[in-house]
Coordinates of all heavy atoms in Angstrom, one line a residue:
M1057 N -6.1 -5.1 11.3 CA -5.0 -4.7 12.1 C -4.6 -3.3 11.8 O -4.5 -2.9 10.6 CB -3.8 -5.7 11.8 CG -2.5 -5.3 12.5 SD -1.1 -6.4 12.1 CE -1.3 -7.6 13.4
K1058 N -4.4 -2.5 12.8 CA -4.0 -1.1 12.6 C -2.5 -1.0 12.8 O -1.8 -2.0 13.2 CB -4.7 -0.3 13.7 CG -6.2 -0.2 13.4 CD -6.9 0.7 14.4 CE -8.4 0.7 14.1 NZ -9.1 1.5 15.0
K1059 N -2.0 0.1 12.5 CA -0.5 0.3 12.5 C 0.1 0.1 13.9 O 1.1 -0.6 14.0 CB -0.2 1.7 12.0 CG 1.3 2.0 11.9 CD 1.6 3.4 11.4 CE 3.1 3.7 11.4 NZ 3.3 5.1 11.0
G1060 N -0.6 0.5 14.9 CA -0.1 0.3 16.3 C -0.1 -1.2 16.7 O 0.9 -1.6 17.3
E1061 N -1.1 -1.9 16.2 CA -1.1 -3.4 16.4 C 0.0 -4.1 15.7 O 0.7 -5.0 16.2 CB -2.4 -4.0 16.0 CG -3.6 -3.4 16.9 CD -5.0 -3.8 16.3 OE1 -5.1 -3.8 15.0 OE2 -5.9 -4.0 17.1
L1062 N 0.3 -3.6 14.4 CA 1.4 -4.1 13.6 C 2.7 -3.9 14.3 O 3.6 -4.8 14.4 CB 1.4 -3.5 12.2 CG 2.6 -3.9 11.3 CD1 2.6 -5.4 11.0 CD2 2.6 -3.0 10.1
I1063 N 2.9 -2.7 14.8 CA 4.2 -2.4 15.5 C 4.3 -3.2 16.8 O 5.4 -3.8 17.1 CB 4.2 -0.9 15.9 CG1 4.4 -0.1 14.6 CG2 5.3 -0.5 16.9 CD1 4.1 1.4 14.7
A1064 N 3.3 -3.4 17.5 CA 3.3 -4.2 18.8 C 3.7 -5.7 18.4 O 4.5 -6.3 19.1 CB 2.0 -4.2 19.5
E1065 N 3.1 -6.2 17.4 CA 3.3 -7.6 16.9 C 4.8 -7.7 16.4 O 5.5 -8.7 16.7 CB 2.4 -8.0 15.8 CG 2.5 -9.4 15.4 CD 2.0 -10.5 16.4 OE1 1.3 -10.1 17.4 OE2 2.4 -11.6 16.3
F1066 N 5.2 -6.7 15.7 CA 6.6 -6.7 15.2 C 7.6 -6.7 16.4 O 8.6 -7.5 16.4 CB 6.8 -5.5 14.3 CG 8.2 -5.5 13.6 CD1 8.3 -6.1 12.4 CD2 9.2 -4.8 14.1 CE1 9.5 -6.1 11.7 CE2 10.5 -4.8 13.5 CZ 10.6 -5.4 12.3
A1067 N 7.3 -5.9 17.4 CA 8.2 -5.8 18.6 C 8.2 -7.1 19.3 O 9.3 -7.6 19.7 CB 7.7 -4.7 19.5
K1068 N 7.1 -7.8 19.4 CA 7.0 -9.0 20.1 C 7.7 -10.1 19.4 O 8.5 -10.9 20.0 CB 5.5 -9.4 20.2 CG 5.2 -10.7 20.9 CD 3.7 -11.0 21.0 CE 3.4 -12.4 21.4 NZ 2.0 -12.7 21.3
R1069 N 7.6 -10.2 18.1 CA 8.2 -11.3 17.3 C 9.7 -11.1 17.2 O 10.4 -12.1 17.1 CB 7.6 -11.4 15.9 CG 6.2 -12.0 16.0 CD 5.7 -12.2 14.6 NE 4.3 -12.6 14.6 CZ 3.7 -13.2 13.5 NH1 4.4 -13.5 12.4 NH2 2.5 -13.6 13.6
T1070 N 10.2 -9.9 17.2 CA 11.6 -9.6 17.0 C 12.3 -9.4 18.3 O 13.5 -9.2 18.3 CB 11.8 -8.4 16.1 OG1 11.2 -7.3 16.6 CG2 11.3 -8.7 14.7
E1071 N 11.5 -9.3 19.4 CA 12.0 -9.0 20.7 C 12.7 -7.7 20.8 O 13.7 -7.4 21.5 CB 13.0 -10.1 21.2 CG 12.3 -11.5 21.4 CD 13.2 -12.6 21.8 OE1 14.4 -12.4 22.0 OE2 12.6 -13.7 22.0
M1072 N 12.2 -6.7 20.0 CA 12.7 -5.3 20.0 C 11.9 -4.5 21.0 O 10.8 -4.9 21.3 CB 12.5 -4.7 18.6 CG 13.4 -5.1 17.5 SD 12.9 -4.2 16.0 CE 14.4 -4.0 15.2
S1073 N 12.4 -3.4 21.3 CA 11.6 -2.5 22.1 C 10.5 -1.9 21.2 O 10.6 -1.9 20.0 CB 12.4 -1.3 22.6 OG 12.9 -0.5 21.6
G1074 N 9.4 -1.4 21.8 CA 8.4 -0.8 21.1 C 8.8 0.4 20.2 O 8.4 0.6 19.1
A1075 N 9.8 1.2 20.8 CA 10.3 2.3 20.1 C 11.1 1.9 18.9 O 11.0 2.5 17.8 CB 11.1 3.2 21.0
A1076 N 11.9 0.9 19.0 CA 12.7 0.4 17.9 C 11.8 -0.2 16.8 O 12.1 0.0 15.6 CB 13.7 -0.7 18.4
A1077 N 10.8 -1.0 17.2 CA 9.9 -1.5 16.2 C 9.1 -0.4 15.5 O 8.9 -0.5 14.3 CB 8.9 -2.5 16.9
N1078 N 8.7 0.6 16.2 CA 8.0 1.7 15.6 C 8.9 2.4 14.6 O 8.5 2.7 13.5 CB 7.6 2.7 16.7 CG 6.8 3.9 16.1 OD1 6.0 3.7 15.3 ND2 7.1 5.1 16.6
S1079 N 10.2 2.6 14.9 CA 11.1 3.2 14.0 C 11.3 2.3 12.8 O 11.4 2.8 11.6 CB 12.4 3.4 14.7 OG 13.4 4.0 13.8
A1080 N 11.4 1.0 12.9 CA 11.6 0.1 11.8 C 10.5 0.1 10.9 O 10.6 0.2 9.6 CB 11.9 -1.3 12.3
V1081 N 9.3 0.0 11.4 CA 8.1 0.0 10.6 C 7.9 1.3 9.8 O 7.6 1.4 8.6 CB 6.8 -0.3 11.4 CG1 5.5 -0.1 10.6 CG2 6.8 -1.8 11.9
N1082 N 8.1 2.4 10.5 CA 8.0 3.7 9.9 C 9.1 3.9 8.8 O 8.8 4.5 7.8 CB 8.1 4.9 10.9 CG 6.9 5.0 11.8 OD1 5.8 4.7 11.3 ND2 7.0 5.5 13.0
T1083 N 10.3 3.4 9.0 CA 11.3 3.5 8.0 C 10.9 2.7 6.8 O 11.1 3.2 5.6 CB 12.7 3.0 8.6 OG1 13.0 3.8 9.7 CG2 13.8 3.0 7.5
V1084 N 10.4 1.5 6.9 CA 10.0 0.8 5.7 C 8.9 1.5 5.0 O 8.9 1.6 3.7 CB 9.5 -0.7 6.1 CG1 8.8 -1.4 5.0 CG2 10.6 -1.5 6.7
I1085 N 7.9 2.1 5.7 CA 6.8 2.8 5.0 C 7.4 4.1 4.3 O 7.0 4.4 3.2 CB 5.8 3.2 6.1 CG1 5.0 2.0 6.5 CG2 4.8 4.2 5.5 CD1 4.1 2.2 7.7
E1086 N 8.3 4.8 5.0 CA 9.0 5.9 4.4 C 9.7 5.6 3.1 O 9.6 6.3 2.1 CB 9.9 6.6 5.3 CG 9.2 7.4 6.5 CD 10.3 7.8 7.5 OE1 11.5 7.9 7.2 OE2 9.8 8.2 8.6
I1087 N 10.5 4.5 3.1 CA 11.2 4.1 1.9 C 10.3 3.7 0.8 O 10.5 4.2 -0.4 CB 12.1 2.9 2.2 CG1 13.2 3.3 3.2 CG2 12.7 2.2 1.0 CD1 14.0 2.1 3.8
I1088 N 9.2 3.0 1.0 CA 8.3 2.7 0.0 C 7.6 3.9 -0.6 O 7.5 4.1 -1.8 CB 7.2 1.7 0.5 CG1 7.9 0.3 0.8 CG2 6.1 1.5 -0.5 CD1 7.0 -0.7 1.5
T1089 N 7.2 4.8 0.3 CA 6.6 6.1 -0.1 C 7.5 6.9 -1.0 O 7.1 7.5 -2.0 CB 6.1 6.9 1.1 OG1 5.2 6.1 1.9 CG2 5.5 8.2 0.7
E1090 N 8.8 7.1 -0.5 CA 9.8 7.9 -1.3 C 10.0 7.3 -2.7 O 10.1 8.0 -3.7 CB 11.1 7.9 -0.6 CG 11.1 8.8 0.7 CD 12.3 8.6 1.5 OE1 13.3 7.9 1.1 OE2 12.4 9.2 2.6
R1091 N 10.1 6.0 -2.8 CA 10.3 5.3 -4.1 C 9.1 5.5 -5.0 O 9.2 5.8 -6.2 CB 10.6 3.9 -3.9 CG 11.9 3.6 -3.2 CD 13.1 4.2 -3.9 NE 14.3 4.1 -3.1 CZ 15.5 3.9 -3.5 NH1 15.7 3.8 -4.8 NH2 16.5 3.8 -2.7
L1092 N 7.9 5.4 -4.5 CA 6.7 5.6 -5.2 C 6.6 7.1 -5.7 O 6.2 7.3 -6.8 CB 5.5 5.2 -4.5 CG 5.3 3.7 -4.2 CD1 4.1 3.5 -3.3 CD2 5.2 2.9 -5.4
K1093 N 7.0 8.0 -4.9 CA 6.9 9.4 -5.3 C 7.9 9.7 -6.4 O 7.6 10.5 -7.3 CB 7.3 10.3 -4.1 CG 6.2 10.5 -3.0 CD 6.7 11.1 -1.8 CE 7.0 12.6 -2.0 NZ 7.3 13.3 -0.7
K1094 N 9.0 8.9 -6.5 CA 9.9 9.0 -7.7 C 9.4 8.3 -8.9 O 10.1 8.3 -9.9 CB 11.3 8.5 -7.3 CG 12.0 9.3 -6.2 CD 13.3 8.7 -5.9 CE 14.0 9.4 -4.8 NZ 15.3 8.8 -4.4
G1095 N 8.3 7.6 -8.8 CA 7.7 6.8 -9.9 C 8.3 5.4 -10.0 O 8.1 4.8 -11.0
E1096 N 9.1 5.0 -9.0 CA 9.7 3.7 -9.1 C 8.7 2.6 -8.6 O 7.6 2.9 -8.0 CB 10.9 3.6 -8.2 CG 12.0 4.6 -8.7 CD 13.2 4.6 -7.7 OE1 13.4 3.6 -7.0 OE2 14.0 5.6 -7.8
T1097 N 9.0 1.4 -8.8 CA 8.2 0.2 -8.4 C 9.0 -0.4 -7.3 O 10.2 -0.5 -7.3 CB 8.0 -0.8 -9.5 OG1 7.2 -0.1 -10.6 CG2 7.2 -2.0 -9.1
V1098 N 8.3 -0.9 -6.2 CA 8.9 -1.6 -5.1 C 8.3 -3.0 -5.0 O 7.1 -3.2 -4.8 CB 8.6 -0.8 -3.8 CG1 9.3 -1.6 -2.6 CG2 9.1 0.6 -3.8
G1099 N 9.2 -4.0 -5.2 CA 8.8 -5.3 -5.2 C 9.4 -6.1 -4.0 O 10.6 -6.0 -3.8
I1100 N 8.5 -6.8 -3.3 CA 9.0 -7.6 -2.2 C 8.7 -9.0 -2.6 O 7.5 -9.4 -2.6 CB 8.3 -7.2 -0.9 CG1 8.6 -5.7 -0.6 CG2 8.8 -8.1 0.3 CD1 7.8 -5.1 0.6
T1101 N 9.7 -9.8 -2.9 CA 9.5 -11.1 -3.4 C 8.6 -12.0 -2.5 O 8.8 -12.0 -1.3 CB 10.9 -11.9 -3.6 OG1 11.7 -11.1 -4.4 CG2 10.7 -13.2 -4.2
G1102 N 7.6 -12.6 -3.1 CA 6.6 -13.4 -2.4 C 5.5 -12.6 -1.7 O 4.5 -13.2 -1.4
F1103 N 5.7 -11.3 -1.5 CA 4.7 -10.5 -0.8 C 3.9 -9.8 -1.8 O 2.6 -9.9 -1.9 CB 5.3 -9.6 0.2 CG 4.3 -8.7 1.0 CD1 3.4 -9.3 1.9 CD2 4.2 -7.4 0.7 CE1 2.5 -8.6 2.5 CE2 3.2 -6.6 1.4 CZ 2.4 -7.2 2.3
G1104 N 4.6 -9.0 -2.7 CA 3.8 -8.2 -3.7 C 4.6 -7.0 -4.2 O 5.8 -6.8 -3.8
T1105 N 4.0 -6.3 -5.1 CA 4.6 -5.1 -5.7 C 3.8 -3.9 -5.5 O 2.6 -3.9 -5.8 CB 4.8 -5.4 -7.2 OG1 5.5 -6.6 -7.4 CG2 5.5 -4.3 -7.9
F1106 N 4.4 -2.8 -5.1 CA 3.8 -1.5 -5.0 C 4.2 -0.7 -6.3 O 5.4 -0.8 -6.7 CB 4.4 -0.7 -3.8 CG 4.0 -1.4 -2.5 CD1 4.8 -2.3 -1.9 CD2 2.8 -1.1 -1.8 CE1 4.5 -2.9 -0.7 CE2 2.5 -1.7 -0.6 CZ 3.3 -2.6 0.0
S1107 N 3.3 0.0 -6.9 CA 3.6 0.8 -8.0 C 2.7 2.0 -8.1 O 1.8 2.1 -7.3 CB 3.4 -0.1 -9.3 OG 2.1 -0.5 -9.4
V1108 N 2.9 2.8 -9.1 CA 2.1 4.0 -9.2 C 1.4 3.9 -10.6 O 2.0 3.6 -11.6 CB 3.0 5.3 -9.2 CG1 2.1 6.6 -9.5 CG2 3.7 5.5 -7.9
S1109 N 0.1 4.2 -10.6 CA -0.7 4.2 -11.8 C -1.2 5.6 -12.1 O -1.5 6.3 -11.2 CB -1.9 3.2 -11.6 OG -2.7 3.2 -12.7
K1110 N -1.1 5.9 -13.4 CA -1.6 7.2 -13.8 C -3.1 7.1 -14.2 O -3.5 6.2 -14.9 CB -0.8 7.7 -15.0 CG 0.7 8.0 -14.7 CD 1.4 8.5 -15.9 CE 2.9 8.7 -15.5 NZ 3.7 9.0 -16.6
R1111 N -3.8 8.1 -13.7 CA -5.3 8.2 -14.1 C -5.5 9.4 -15.0 O -5.1 10.5 -14.6 CB -6.1 8.3 -12.8 CG -6.0 7.1 -11.9 CD -6.8 7.2 -10.7 NE -8.2 7.0 -11.1 CZ -9.2 7.1 -10.3 NH1 -9.0 7.3 -9.0 NH2 -10.5 6.9 -10.7
A1112 N -6.0 9.2 -16.1 CA -6.3 10.3 -17.1 C -7.4 11.2 -16.6 O -8.2 10.9 -15.7 CB -6.7 9.7 -18.4
A1113 N -7.3 12.5 -17.1 CA -8.4 13.4 -16.7 C -9.7 12.9 -17.3 O -9.7 12.2 -18.4 CB -8.0 14.8 -17.3
R1114 N -10.8 13.2 -16.7 CA -12.0 12.7 -17.1 C -13.2 13.6 -16.6 O -13.0 14.5 -15.8 CB -12.3 11.3 -16.6 CG -12.3 11.1 -15.1 CD -12.0 9.6 -14.7 NE -12.2 9.5 -13.3 CZ -11.4 9.8 -12.4 NH1 -10.2 10.3 -12.7 NH2 -11.6 9.5 -11.1
K1115 N -14.4 13.3 -17.1 CA -15.5 14.1 -16.7 C -16.3 13.2 -15.7 O -16.4 12.0 -15.8 CB -16.4 14.4 -17.9 CG -15.8 15.4 -18.8 CD -16.7 15.7 -20.0 CE -16.0 16.6 -21.0 NZ -16.9 16.9 -22.1
G1116 N -16.9 13.9 -14.7 CA -17.7 13.2 -13.8 C -19.0 14.0 -13.5 O -19.2 15.0 -14.2
R1117 N -19.7 13.5 -12.6 CA -21.0 14.2 -12.2 C -21.1 14.5 -10.7 O -20.7 13.6 -9.9 CB -22.2 13.4 -12.6 CG -22.4 13.4 -14.1 CD -23.9 13.1 -14.4 NE -24.1 13.0 -15.8 CZ -24.4 14.0 -16.6 NH1 -24.6 15.2 -16.1 NH2 -24.5 13.9 -17.9
N1118 N -21.5 15.7 -10.4 CA -21.8 16.0 -9.0 C -23.1 15.2 -8.6 O -24.1 15.5 -9.2 CB -22.0 17.5 -8.8 CG -22.2 17.9 -7.4 OD1 -22.8 17.1 -6.6 ND2 -21.8 19.1 -7.0
P1119 N -23.0 14.3 -7.7 CA -24.2 13.5 -7.4 C -25.4 14.2 -6.9 O -26.5 13.9 -7.1 CB -23.7 12.4 -6.4 CG -22.4 12.9 -5.9 CD -21.9 13.9 -6.9
S1120 N -25.1 15.4 -6.2 CA -26.3 16.1 -5.6 C -26.9 17.0 -6.7 O -28.1 17.3 -6.6 CB -25.8 16.9 -4.4 OG -24.8 17.8 -4.7
T1121 N -26.2 17.6 -7.6 CA -26.7 18.5 -8.6 C -26.8 17.9 -10.0 O -27.6 18.5 -10.8 CB -25.9 19.8 -8.7 OG1 -24.6 19.5 -9.2 CG2 -25.8 20.5 -7.3
G1122 N -26.1 16.9 -10.3 CA -26.1 16.3 -11.6 C -25.2 17.1 -12.6 O -25.1 16.7 -13.8
E1123 N -24.5 18.1 -12.1 CA -23.7 19.0 -12.9 C -22.4 18.2 -13.4 O -21.8 17.5 -12.6 CB -23.3 20.2 -12.1 CG -22.3 21.1 -12.8 CD -21.8 22.2 -11.9 OE1 -22.2 22.3 -10.7 OE2 -20.9 23.0 -12.3
V1124 N -22.0 18.4 -14.6 CA -20.8 17.8 -15.1 C -19.6 18.5 -14.6 O -19.6 19.8 -14.7 CB -20.8 17.7 -16.7 CG1 -19.5 17.2 -17.2 CG2 -22.0 16.9 -17.2
I1125 N -18.6 17.8 -14.1 CA -17.4 18.4 -13.6 C -16.2 17.8 -14.2 O -16.3 16.6 -14.7 CB -17.3 18.3 -12.0 CG1 -17.4 16.8 -11.6 CG2 -18.4 19.1 -11.3 CD1 -17.1 16.6 -10.1
K1126 N -15.1 18.5 -14.2 CA -13.8 18.0 -14.7 C -13.1 17.4 -13.5 O -12.9 18.0 -12.5 CB -13.0 19.1 -15.4 CG -13.6 19.6 -16.6 CD -12.8 20.7 -17.3 CE -13.4 21.3 -18.5 NZ -12.6 22.4 -19.0
I1127 N -12.6 16.2 -13.7 CA -11.7 15.5 -12.7 C -10.3 15.5 -13.3 O -10.1 15.0 -14.4 CB -12.2 14.1 -12.4 CG1 -13.6 14.1 -11.9 CG2 -11.3 13.4 -11.4 CD1 -14.3 12.8 -11.7
A1128 N -9.4 16.1 -12.6 CA -8.0 16.3 -13.1 C -7.3 14.9 -13.1 O -7.6 14.0 -12.4 CB -7.2 17.2 -12.2
A1129 N -6.3 14.9 -14.0 CA -5.4 13.7 -14.0 C -4.7 13.6 -12.7 O -4.4 14.5 -12.0 CB -4.4 13.8 -15.2
S1130 N -4.4 12.3 -12.3 CA -3.8 12.1 -11.0 C -3.0 10.8 -11.1 O -3.1 10.0 -12.0 CB -4.8 12.0 -9.9 OG -5.7 10.9 -10.1
K1131 N -2.2 10.6 -10.0 CA -1.5 9.3 -9.9 C -2.1 8.6 -8.6 O -2.4 9.3 -7.7 CB 0.0 9.6 -9.6 CG 0.7 10.2 -10.8 CD 2.1 10.5 -10.5 CE 2.8 11.3 -11.5 NZ 4.2 11.7 -11.1
T1132 N -2.1 7.3 -8.6 CA -2.6 6.6 -7.5 C -1.7 5.4 -7.2 O -1.2 4.7 -8.1 CB -4.1 6.1 -7.7 OG1 -4.6 5.6 -6.6 CG2 -4.2 5.2 -8.9
P1133 N -1.4 5.1 -5.9 CA -0.6 3.9 -5.6 C -1.4 2.6 -5.8 O -2.6 2.6 -5.6 CB -0.3 4.1 -4.2 CG -1.3 5.1 -3.6 CD -1.8 5.9 -4.8
K1134 N -0.7 1.6 -6.3 CA -1.3 0.3 -6.5 C -0.5 -0.8 -5.8 O 0.7 -0.6 -5.6 CB -1.4 -0.1 -7.9 CG -2.4 0.7 -8.8 CD -2.4 0.3 -10.2 CE -1.8 -0.9 -10.7 NZ -1.9 -1.2 -12.1
F1135 N -1.2 -1.9 -5.4 CA -0.5 -3.0 -4.8 C -1.0 -4.3 -5.5 O -2.2 -4.5 -5.6 CB -0.7 -3.1 -3.3 CG -0.1 -4.3 -2.7 CD1 1.2 -4.4 -2.5 CD2 -0.9 -5.4 -2.4 CE1 1.8 -5.5 -1.9 CE2 -0.3 -6.6 -1.8 CZ 1.0 -6.6 -1.6
A1136 N -0.1 -5.1 -6.0 CA -0.4 -6.4 -6.6 C 0.2 -7.5 -5.7 O 1.4 -7.5 -5.5 CB 0.1 -6.5 -8.0
A1137 N -0.6 -8.3 -5.2 CA -0.1 -9.4 -4.3 C 0.7 -10.4 -5.0 O 0.5 -10.7 -6.2 CB -1.3 -10.1 -3.6
G1138 N 1.8 -10.9 -4.4 CA 2.7 -11.9 -5.0 C 2.1 -13.3 -4.8 O 1.1 -13.5 -4.1
A1139 N 2.7 -14.2 -5.5 CA 2.2 -15.6 -5.5 C 2.2 -16.2 -4.1 O 1.2 -16.9 -3.8 CB 3.1 -16.4 -6.4
T1140 N 3.2 -16.0 -3.3 CA 3.2 -16.6 -2.0 C 2.1 -16.0 -1.1 O 1.5 -16.8 -0.4 CB 4.6 -16.3 -1.3 OG1 5.6 -16.8 -2.2 CG2 4.7 -17.0 0.0
L1141 N 1.9 -14.7 -1.1 CA 0.8 -14.1 -0.4 C -0.6 -14.6 -0.8 O -1.4 -15.0 0.0 CB 0.9 -12.6 -0.5 CG -0.2 -11.8 0.3 CD1 -0.2 -12.1 1.8 CD2 0.0 -10.3 0.0
K1142 N -0.7 -14.7 -2.1 CA -2.0 -15.3 -2.7 C -2.2 -16.7 -2.2 O -3.4 -17.1 -1.8 CB -2.0 -15.2 -4.2 CG -2.2 -13.8 -4.8 CD -2.1 -13.9 -6.3 CE -2.2 -12.5 -6.9 NZ -2.1 -12.6 -8.4
A1143 N -1.2 -17.5 -2.2 CA -1.3 -18.9 -1.8 C -1.6 -19.0 -0.3 O -2.4 -19.9 0.1 CB 0.0 -19.7 -2.1
A1144 N -1.1 -18.1 0.5 CA -1.3 -18.1 1.9 C -2.8 -17.8 2.2 O -3.4 -18.3 3.1 CB -0.4 -17.2 2.6
V1145 N -3.3 -16.9 1.4 CA -4.7 -16.4 1.6 C -5.7 -17.4 1.1 O -6.8 -17.6 1.6 CB -4.9 -15.0 1.0 CG1 -6.4 -14.6 1.1 CG2 -4.0 -14.0 1.7
N1146 N -5.3 -18.1 0.0 CA -6.2 -19.1 -0.6 C -5.5 -20.4 -0.6 O -5.1 -20.9 -1.7 CB -6.5 -18.6 -2.1 CG -7.2 -17.3 -2.2 OD1 -8.3 -17.2 -1.7 ND2 -6.6 -16.4 -2.8
P1147 N -5.5 -21.1 0.5 CA -4.8 -22.4 0.5 C -5.6 -23.4 -0.3 O -6.9 -23.4 -0.4 CB -4.9 -22.8 2.0 CG -5.9 -22.0 2.6 CD -6.0 -20.7 1.8
K1148 N -4.9 -24.4 -0.9 CA -5.5 -25.4 -1.7 C -6.2 -26.4 -0.8 O -5.7 -26.8 0.2 CB -4.5 -26.1 -2.5 CG -3.9 -25.2 -3.6 CD -2.9 -26.0 -4.4 CE -2.3 -25.1 -5.5 NZ -1.3 -25.8 -6.3
K1149 N -7.4 -26.8 -1.2 CA -8.2 -27.8 -0.4 C -7.8 -29.2 -0.9 O -7.6 -29.4 -2.1 CB -9.7 -27.5 -0.6 CG -10.1 -26.2 0.1 CD -11.6 -26.0 -0.1 CE -12.0 -24.7 0.5 NZ -13.4 -24.4 0.3
K1150 N -7.8 -30.1 0.0 CA -7.4 -31.5 -0.4 C -8.7 -32.3 -0.7 O -9.7 -32.1 -0.3 CB -6.7 -32.2 0.8 CG -5.3 -31.5 0.9 CD -4.6 -32.3 2.0 CE -3.2 -31.6 2.2 NZ -2.4 -32.3 3.3

């Protein structure tokens, strides 16, 4: 599912206009992004937790030349699925 499809489904389920649904989805994404930029964690009960992980500087190799290169330290966003989401994706078999 792409963002446009998510917005269309959101509009359909909430009986909102497409523009209002677009605004709502974009607002949620902006809030999560802003909080992550501040280094905060965003948890949505039952769905999951968004967080930021720090990656240390390290050495790597250029695959075409084999030359050793330095890879700078960076931050990367992470998502950990919540119990309800995991259960929905992996239903118990009887």
Side-chain angles (χ1 to χ4, degrees):
M1057 174 179 272
K1058 295 183 179 179
K1059 185 177 176 184
E1061 295 167 327
L1062 174 65
I1063 291 167
E1065 184 70 19
F1066 188 86
K1068 179 180 169 185
R1069 290 189 186 196
T1070 60
E1071 299 179 357
M1072 285 180 149
S1073 69
N1078 184 41
S1079 178
V1081 169
N1082 284 334
T1083 300
V1084 170
I1085 292 169
E1086 286 173 15
I1087 292 168
I1088 293 170
T1089 302
E1090 288 170 7
R1091 297 299 174 146
L1092 291 176
K1093 284 170 73 174
K1094 292 179 183 178
E1096 297 177 21
T1097 298
V1098 179
I1100 302 171
T1101 304
F1103 183 69
T1105 303
F1106 296 91
S1107 61
V1108 176
S1109 178
K1110 294 179 183 176
R1111 298 180 72 180
R1114 60 198 189 280
K1115 293 180 183 176
R1117 286 203 184 270
N1118 180 330
S1120 59
T1121 65
E1123 176 187 0
V1124 175
I1125 58 172
K1126 293 180 183 177
I1127 301 172
S1130 63
K1131 296 177 188 175
T1132 186
K1134 288 181 14 179
F1135 176 76
T1140 306
L1141 180 59
K1142 286 180 185 178
V1145 174
N1146 296 299
K1148 293 182 181 178
K1149 295 180 182 178
K1150 293 182 180 181

